[in-house]
Amino acid sequence: MNILITGAKGFVGRNLVANLQTIKEGKNRTCPNLSVGEIFEFDVDTPLEKLDEFCQKADFVFNLAGVNRPQNPQEFMAGNFGFASSLLDTLKKHHNKCPVMLSSSIQATLEGRFAGSQYGKSKLAGEELFFKYAQETGAPVYVYRFPNLFGKWCRPNYNSAVATFCHNIARGLPIQVNDRKTELELLYIDDLLDEMYLALQGKPHRCENGPYCYVPVTHHTTLGEIVDLLQTFAAQPKTLVMPEIPAGSFAQKLYATYLSYLPKEAVCFDLKQNTDARGSFTELLKTVNCGQFSVNISKPGITKGQHWHNTKWEFFIVVSGRARIEQRQIGTDEIWTFDVCGGNPQAVHMLPGFTHNIINLSQTEPLITLMWASENFNPLRPDTFAEEVVK
């Protein structure tokens, strides 16, 4: 299947081109029934004669080209209606009745705060043009009215508040929020791409009432909630706290978006290493509800631990070196011994009510252990009591 993408260098176009390429090259196997041939990229700087060639060869057209922040309001109609007309006329010229998808906007409803929107009017005109084209030619036409889009590669300080907030907060720059309670419906780029793959296979989601198509997964939130989440993400290198990001949640998608805007100097950050004569202990990551991760380095021959917990439990995973882990239930004499090494990683439970230690068996090499604790360390209630394993 040869695919023509207009507006190929824009936010949606760039993501679509990159991901179709992964399908074409067999790297993305999530769409086994989708075969991608040539990908024709058309943008504002593409020679116009290329449009004629692409329209002749295309088996599917994504019309993502449009104007949303022109110098002159008259450019709305030229970019969102005029080009669409040229595209459809060129398809007619070659008698190409392949499916065509139109990227429109909820502003085309001209309702509420969108009433009188010149951008909305130009998008509505484009929609009507495509519906008329479908009636005249019989070609399948998929018209989507997108809400606010967000995701990686969206241009900041342009027409996306999320992109601007991510860009500025990642750089410690100020942001402006006029009303934290402003409600938004947001569509994530990867959810949009999933719908585009379905459209390519002739399986778009269609509205029950009306001729439009839709993406089934969107998120409703407020400007205030977005800013609060982004500030939590930005603080993570200092707090080490990873907020809750359930699979498929808005938080997960916003965090991925935020990370894509990090400047180089913010990608790498220092961790606080607590050192003493025995080695070091470094907290790596804390979660809201699922404890924290740390890395422990023991010098040759050193024993660490020698304490127990009431409720807290841990995993010790040796990733380099050789260790002996000993545990003894409080009030008993029996010692459980586990010999582990980095060459054969094993996770060993540190049980509540058992005093435990970890011994570096090497006299020459450091022991490196990844540790997980069921709760974040609270100095006011550490639930940690010193007692040697071997009396």
Side-chain angles (χ1 to χ4, degrees), residues 47 118 123 158 166 198 211 218 232 235 243 265 288 318 377:
Q118 293 300 314
K123 283 295 188 180
Y158 187 57
C166 287
L198 291 175
T218 61
T232 300
E265 59 270 19
V288 175
V318 171
F377 180 72

Side-chain angles (χ1 to χ4, degrees), residues 280-285 292-298 314-320 325 340 342 345-350 358 367-373:
S280 66
F281 179 82
T282 305
E283 293 180 317
L284 302 179
L285 178 69
Q292 70 176 64
F293 296 86
S294 308
V295 63
N296 184 80
I297 301 178
S298 301
E314 301 164 304
F315 278 120
F316 287 3
I317 305 171
V318 171
V319 295
S320 180
I325 296 172
V340 292
Q346 294 176 290
V348 183
H349 283 97
M350 300 300 112
I358 182 166
L367 172 68
I368 302 175
T369 307
L370 180 65
M371 297 180 173
W372 172 83

Side-chain angles (χ1 to χ4, degrees), residues 73-91:
Q74 294 179 349
E75 296 177 31
F76 277 129
M77 196 61 70
N80 298 326
F81 177 83
F83 175 76
S85 181
S86 298
L87 171 66
L88 298 180
D89 285 344
T90 307
L91 289 170

Side-chain angles (χ1 to χ4, degrees), residues 7-15 43 153:
K9 292 183 179 179
F11 166 47
V12 178
R14 186 179 171 192
N15 275 273
D43 212 281
W153 305 340

Side-chain angles (χ1 to χ4, degrees), residues 103-226:
S103 167
S104 188
S105 166
I106 57 172
Q107 293 196 37
T109 62
L110 301 179
E111 297 176 350
R113 61 192 177 99
F114 304 132
S117 165
Q118 293 300 314
Y119 175 67
K121 291 178 181 179
S122 67
K123 283 295 188 180
L124 179 60
E127 293 176 2
E128 293 171 346
L129 185 68
F130 272 73
F131 290 135
K132 182 179 179 181
Y133 170 79
Q135 292 175 350
E136 292 176 350
T137 65
V141 168
Y142 309 140
V143 177
Y144 289 83
R145 285 180 168 177
F146 295 144
N148 298 277
L149 303 178
F150 75 107
K152 65 183 184 300
W153 305 340
C154 187
R155 180 177 170 184
N157 301 306
Y158 187 57
N159 67 340
S160 167
V162 173
T164 301
F165 290 167
C166 287
H167 176 271
N168 286 15
I169 291 175
R171 288 161 176 76
L173 300 175
I175 60 172
Q176 181 177 342
V177 181
N178 295 325
D179 184 359
R180 285 177 53 88
K181 296 180 180 179
T182 298
E183 297 182 352
L184 296 175
E185 181 183 7
L186 294 169
L187 171 57
Y188 184 54
I189 186 62
D190 286 5
D191 294 323
L192 172 53
L193 291 180
D194 286 342
E195 177 65 20
M196 288 176 149
Y197 301 152
L198 291 175
L200 277 171
Q201 299 172 75
K203 302 176 181 178
H205 285 87
R206 290 191 175 276
C207 298
E208 292 184 4
N209 300 316
Y212 297 95
C213 299
Y214 69 98
V215 181
V217 181
T218 61
H219 299 274
H220 294 265
T221 186
T222 65
L223 285 177
E225 290 169 344
I226 293 171

